[in-house]
């Protein structure tokens, strides 16, 4: 048997020995009883309900009704001075009466319009007549108000003549009070202008206009 065969036999023998050892180990594991490992116990949490603390019961409050205070009538003091009555606002003065009609030299009554005294604008307290925050509505003339006509007795006029008429406008838009506040120097011309203003009409308003309205007329009228 040469060396090569010996070496092969040694290798084969070593393999067989290893196989036998492996087989013996497997057989021993199969025969030996397996040890059972007990499962690990998990901790169990137990919830304990804690009773609430003993609360004091609510106390009942007794409500005692309070009687209303007695009303005592106060007797008037002896020798007390009598109470003065509140002063009433004086009534507005009535409108002045118209001036008496003029008479001619022969004693015949002239057909002249009435004249009423018109207060001066300088003497009027406008704050007492109306609210400055809500001034009255300005009278609006209606169409058809005619300009005064010069009397035939003065025709033709030799010079320019002027007359001022101041008047008050009523609630219904009519003129019932007027006066000559600046004369032309001729009575017939003043009366003609005054008579024309009495025929004027304005748009009706909620109340009479409280301020006198001046109107200046120039004769002959400008064309």
């Amino acid at each position: 048997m040469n060396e090569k065969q010996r070496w092969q036999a040694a290798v084969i023998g070593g393999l067989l020995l290893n196989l036998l050892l492996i087989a013996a180990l497997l057989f021993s594991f199969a025969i030996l009883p397996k040890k059972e490992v007990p499962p690990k116990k998990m901790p169990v949490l137990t919830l304990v309900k804690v009773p609430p603390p003993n609360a004091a019961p609510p106390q009942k409050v007794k409500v005692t009704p309070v009687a209303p205070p007695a009303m005592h009538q106060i007797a008037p003091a002896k020798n007390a001075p009598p109470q003065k009555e509140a002063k009433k606002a004086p009534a507005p003065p009535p409108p002045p009466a118209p001036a008496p009609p003029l008479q001619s030299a022969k004693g015949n009554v002239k057909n002249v319009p009435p004249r009423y005294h018109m207060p001066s604008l300088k003497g009027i307290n406008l704050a007492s007549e109306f609210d400055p925050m809500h001034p009255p509505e300005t009278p609006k003339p209606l169409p058809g108000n005619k300009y005064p006509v010069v009397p035939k007795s003065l025709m033709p006029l030799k010079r320019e003549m002027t007359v001022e008429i101041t008047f008050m406008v009523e609630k219904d838009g009519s003129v019932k009070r007027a006066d000559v506040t600046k004369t032309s120097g001729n009575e017939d011309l003043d009366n003609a202008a005054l008579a024309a203003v009495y025929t004027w009409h304005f748009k009706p308003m909620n109340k009479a206009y409280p301020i006198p309205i001046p109107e200046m007329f120039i004769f002959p009228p400008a064309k």
Side-chain angles (χ1 to χ4, degrees):
M1 205 175 194
N2 55 16
E3 292 182 2
K4 185 177 181 179
Q5 291 178 348
R6 290 179 183 174
W7 181 80
Q8 291 179 349
V11 171
I12 293 170
L15 291 173
L16 292 174
L17 183 57
N18 288 333
L19 290 173
L20 290 174
L21 290 174
I22 292 170
L25 288 173
L26 291 175
F27 181 74
S28 61
F29 277 113
I31 294 174
L32 292 175
K34 295 181 179 180
K35 293 182 179 180
E36 295 182 0
V37 178
K40 294 182 178 180
K41 293 183 178 180
M42 298 297 292
V44 179
L45 297 177
T46 304
L47 297 177
V48 179
K49 189 175 181 181
V50 180
N54 295 330
Q59 297 180 358
K60 293 183 180 180
V61 178
K62 293 183 179 180
V63 179
T64 304
V66 179
M71 300 297 292
H72 299 284
Q73 187 174 4
I74 300 175
K78 295 182 179 179
N79 300 327
Q83 296 181 357
K84 295 182 180 181
E85 296 182 357
K87 294 183 179 180
K88 297 182 179 179
L102 300 178
Q103 293 183 353
S104 63
K106 297 181 180 180
N108 297 327
V109 177
K110 291 184 178 181
N111 186 17
V112 296
R115 296 186 182 184
Y116 294 87
H117 175 69
M118 291 289 107
S120 174
L121 293 177
K122 295 181 180 179
I124 295 179
N125 185 8
L126 298 180
S128 63
E129 297 293 337
F130 57 86
D131 184 3
M133 299 300 295
H134 302 85
E137 181 183 1
T138 304
K140 297 179 181 179
L142 297 178
N145 293 342
K146 296 181 179 181
Y147 202 85
V149 179
V150 180
K152 293 181 180 181
S153 60
L154 299 178
M155 296 297 291
L157 291 176
K158 298 181 181 180
R159 61 181 178 85
E160 184 179 89
M161 304 178 74
T162 59
V163 57
E164 184 184 68
I165 305 296
T166 303
F167 57 94
M168 303 289 291
V169 180
E170 302 297 327
K171 179 179 179 181
D172 59 354
S174 63
V175 177
K176 294 183 179 179
R177 287 188 293 166
D179 191 16
V180 179
T181 50
K182 189 174 183 181
T183 180
S184 64
N186 185 279
E187 184 180 350
D188 292 336
L189 188 59
D190 293 348
N191 290 335
L194 190 63
V197 171
Y198 271 118
T199 63
W200 285 3
H201 289 85
F202 296 81
K203 184 179 179 181
M205 301 173 291
N206 294 331
K207 59 182 180 179
Y209 194 66
I211 304 174
I213 303 175
E215 186 74 23
M216 181 70 73
F217 300 101
I218 303 175
F219 302 96
K223 296 182 179 180

Short mmCIF file of all heavy atoms in Angstrom, two decimals, residues 76-105:
data_model
loop_
_atom_site.label_atom_id
_atom_site.label_comp_id
_atom_site.label_asym_id
_atom_site.label_seq_id
_atom_site.Cartn_x
_atom_site.Cartn_y
_atom_site.Cartn_z
N PRO A 76 -98.12 119.30 56.89
CA PRO A 76 -97.54 120.61 56.52
C PRO A 76 -97.12 121.39 57.75
O PRO A 76 -97.75 121.33 58.80
CB PRO A 76 -98.70 121.28 55.77
CG PRO A 76 -99.93 120.60 56.28
CD PRO A 76 -99.54 119.19 56.57
N ALA A 77 -96.02 122.07 57.59
CA ALA A 77 -95.52 122.86 58.71
C ALA A 77 -96.46 124.02 59.00
O ALA A 77 -97.09 124.57 58.11
CB ALA A 77 -94.12 123.39 58.39
N LYS A 78 -96.55 124.34 60.27
CA LYS A 78 -97.42 125.43 60.67
C LYS A 78 -96.81 126.75 60.24
O LYS A 78 -95.60 126.94 60.26
CB LYS A 78 -97.63 125.40 62.18
CG LYS A 78 -98.39 124.17 62.67
CD LYS A 78 -98.61 124.23 64.16
CE LYS A 78 -99.40 123.00 64.65
NZ LYS A 78 -99.62 123.04 66.11
N ASN A 79 -97.69 127.65 59.91
CA ASN A 79 -97.30 128.99 59.48
C ASN A 79 -96.38 128.95 58.27
O ASN A 79 -95.46 129.76 58.13
CB ASN A 79 -96.62 129.75 60.63
CG ASN A 79 -97.53 129.90 61.84
OD1 ASN A 79 -98.76 130.02 61.70
ND2 ASN A 79 -96.95 129.91 63.03
N ALA A 80 -96.57 127.91 57.44
CA ALA A 80 -95.75 127.82 56.23
C ALA A 80 -96.26 128.81 55.20
O ALA A 80 -97.47 128.98 55.04
CB ALA A 80 -95.79 126.41 55.66
N PRO A 81 -95.36 129.47 54.48
CA PRO A 81 -95.83 130.44 53.48
C PRO A 81 -96.53 129.71 52.35
O PRO A 81 -96.16 128.60 51.97
CB PRO A 81 -94.53 131.11 53.00
CG PRO A 81 -93.46 130.11 53.30
CD PRO A 81 -93.91 129.39 54.54
N PRO A 82 -97.57 130.26 51.79
CA PRO A 82 -98.28 129.60 50.66
C PRO A 82 -97.37 129.48 49.45
O PRO A 82 -96.55 130.36 49.18
CB PRO A 82 -99.46 130.54 50.40
CG PRO A 82 -99.02 131.87 50.93
CD PRO A 82 -98.13 131.57 52.12
N GLN A 83 -97.54 128.36 48.78
CA GLN A 83 -96.72 128.13 47.59
C GLN A 83 -97.19 129.05 46.47
O GLN A 83 -98.37 129.20 46.21
CB GLN A 83 -96.82 126.67 47.14
CG GLN A 83 -96.24 125.70 48.17
CD GLN A 83 -96.33 124.28 47.67
OE1 GLN A 83 -96.87 124.02 46.61
NE2 GLN A 83 -95.80 123.35 48.44
N LYS A 84 -96.17 129.61 45.80
CA LYS A 84 -96.47 130.50 44.69
C LYS A 84 -96.71 129.68 43.42
O LYS A 84 -95.99 128.74 43.13
CB LYS A 84 -95.31 131.47 44.47
CG LYS A 84 -95.09 132.42 45.63
CD LYS A 84 -93.96 133.39 45.31
CE LYS A 84 -93.73 134.36 46.46
NZ LYS A 84 -92.64 135.33 46.15
N GLU A 85 -97.74 130.04 42.74
CA GLU A 85 -98.01 129.35 41.47
C GLU A 85 -96.99 129.77 40.42
O GLU A 85 -96.51 130.90 40.42
CB GLU A 85 -99.43 129.71 41.00
CG GLU A 85 -100.53 129.22 41.93
CD GLU A 85 -101.90 129.55 41.38
OE1 GLU A 85 -101.95 130.19 40.31
OE2 GLU A 85 -102.90 129.17 42.02
N ALA A 86 -96.69 128.80 39.56
CA ALA A 86 -95.72 129.08 38.50
C ALA A 86 -96.28 130.14 37.58
O ALA A 86 -97.45 130.12 37.21
CB ALA A 86 -95.41 127.81 37.71
N LYS A 87 -95.39 131.05 37.22
CA LYS A 87 -95.83 132.13 36.35
C LYS A 87 -96.04 131.60 34.94
O LYS A 87 -95.21 130.90 34.39
CB LYS A 87 -94.78 133.24 36.33
CG LYS A 87 -94.62 133.95 37.67
CD LYS A 87 -93.62 135.09 37.55
CE LYS A 87 -93.47 135.83 38.87
NZ LYS A 87 -92.49 136.95 38.76
N LYS A 88 -97.16 131.93 34.41
CA LYS A 88 -97.46 131.52 33.04
C LYS A 88 -96.82 132.49 32.07
O LYS A 88 -96.69 133.68 32.35
CB LYS A 88 -98.98 131.49 32.82
CG LYS A 88 -99.71 130.46 33.69
CD LYS A 88 -101.19 130.45 33.37
CE LYS A 88 -101.92 129.42 34.22
NZ LYS A 88 -103.38 129.41 33.92
N ALA A 89 -96.38 131.93 30.95
CA ALA A 89 -95.77 132.77 29.94
C ALA A 89 -96.80 133.76 29.42
O ALA A 89 -97.95 133.38 29.16
CB ALA A 89 -95.23 131.91 28.80
N PRO A 90 -96.41 134.99 29.26
CA PRO A 90 -97.38 135.97 28.77
C PRO A 90 -97.82 135.63 27.36
O PRO A 90 -97.04 135.18 26.53
CB PRO A 90 -96.59 137.30 28.83
CG PRO A 90 -95.15 136.88 28.78
CD PRO A 90 -95.08 135.56 29.49
N ALA A 91 -99.10 135.84 27.12
CA ALA A 91 -99.64 135.56 25.80
C ALA A 91 -99.09 136.56 24.80
O ALA A 91 -98.82 137.71 25.15
CB ALA A 91 -101.17 135.62 25.83
N PRO A 92 -98.84 136.13 23.56
CA PRO A 92 -98.31 137.08 22.57
C PRO A 92 -99.31 138.20 22.33
O PRO A 92 -100.52 137.99 22.33
CB PRO A 92 -98.13 136.20 21.32
CG PRO A 92 -99.05 135.04 21.53
CD PRO A 92 -99.09 134.80 22.99
N PRO A 93 -98.79 139.39 22.14
CA PRO A 93 -99.71 140.52 21.94
C PRO A 93 -100.46 140.36 20.63
O PRO A 93 -99.95 139.82 19.66
CB PRO A 93 -98.75 141.73 21.89
CG PRO A 93 -97.44 141.16 21.47
CD PRO A 93 -97.39 139.78 22.05
N PRO A 94 -101.70 140.78 20.61
CA PRO A 94 -102.49 140.69 19.37
C PRO A 94 -101.91 141.59 18.30
O PRO A 94 -101.23 142.58 18.60
CB PRO A 94 -103.90 141.13 19.80
CG PRO A 94 -103.66 142.00 21.00
CD PRO A 94 -102.47 141.44 21.69
N PRO A 95 -102.13 141.26 17.05
CA PRO A 95 -101.60 142.12 15.98
C PRO A 95 -102.21 143.51 16.08
O PRO A 95 -103.38 143.67 16.46
CB PRO A 95 -102.03 141.39 14.70
CG PRO A 95 -103.17 140.53 15.10
CD PRO A 95 -102.91 140.14 16.51
N PRO A 96 -101.42 144.52 15.77
CA PRO A 96 -101.94 145.89 15.88
C PRO A 96 -103.10 146.10 14.92
O PRO A 96 -103.17 145.52 13.84
CB PRO A 96 -100.73 146.75 15.51
CG PRO A 96 -99.85 145.85 14.72
CD PRO A 96 -100.06 144.48 15.27
N ALA A 97 -104.01 146.95 15.33
CA ALA A 97 -105.17 147.26 14.49
C ALA A 97 -104.73 148.09 13.31
O ALA A 97 -103.76 148.86 13.40
CB ALA A 97 -106.22 148.00 15.32
N PRO A 98 -105.39 147.92 12.18
CA PRO A 98 -105.00 148.71 11.01
C PRO A 98 -105.26 150.18 11.25
O PRO A 98 -106.12 150.59 12.04
CB PRO A 98 -105.90 148.14 9.90
CG PRO A 98 -107.06 147.56 10.60
CD PRO A 98 -106.53 147.04 11.91
N ALA A 99 -104.47 150.97 10.55
CA ALA A 99 -104.64 152.41 10.68
C ALA A 99 -105.99 152.83 10.12
O ALA A 99 -106.53 152.17 9.21
CB ALA A 99 -103.51 153.12 9.93
N PRO A 100 -106.59 153.86 10.65
CA PRO A 100 -107.90 154.30 10.14
C PRO A 100 -107.79 154.77 8.70
O PRO A 100 -106.75 155.25 8.28
CB PRO A 100 -108.27 155.46 11.08
CG PRO A 100 -106.97 155.92 11.63
CD PRO A 100 -106.10 154.73 11.73
N PRO A 101 -108.85 154.57 7.92
CA PRO A 101 -108.79 154.97 6.52
C PRO A 101 -108.62 156.47 6.37
O PRO A 101 -109.10 157.26 7.20
CB PRO A 101 -110.14 154.51 5.96
CG PRO A 101 -111.03 154.42 7.15
CD PRO A 101 -110.16 154.02 8.28
N LEU A 102 -107.87 156.83 5.34
CA LEU A 102 -107.61 158.25 5.09
C LEU A 102 -108.84 158.90 4.45
O LEU A 102 -109.63 158.24 3.76
CB LEU A 102 -106.39 158.40 4.18
CG LEU A 102 -105.07 157.82 4.72
CD1 LEU A 102 -103.97 157.99 3.69
CD2 LEU A 102 -104.68 158.52 6.02
N GLN A 103 -108.97 160.14 4.67
CA GLN A 103 -110.07 160.91 4.10
C GLN A 103 -109.53 162.02 3.22
O GLN A 103 -108.44 162.57 3.48
CB GLN A 103 -110.94 161.52 5.21
CG GLN A 103 -111.70 160.49 6.02
CD GLN A 103 -112.60 161.13 7.04
OE1 GLN A 103 -112.57 162.35 7.23
NE2 GLN A 103 -113.42 160.32 7.69
N SER A 104 -110.25 162.28 2.18
CA SER A 104 -109.86 163.36 1.29
C SER A 104 -110.25 164.69 1.90
O SER A 104 -110.87 164.76 2.97
CB SER A 104 -110.53 163.18 -0.08
OG SER A 104 -111.93 163.26 0.05
N ALA A 105 -109.91 165.77 1.19
CA ALA A 105 -110.23 167.11 1.71
C ALA A 105 -111.73 167.33 1.77
O ALA A 105 -112.22 168.10 2.61
CB ALA A 105 -109.57 168.17 0.83
#
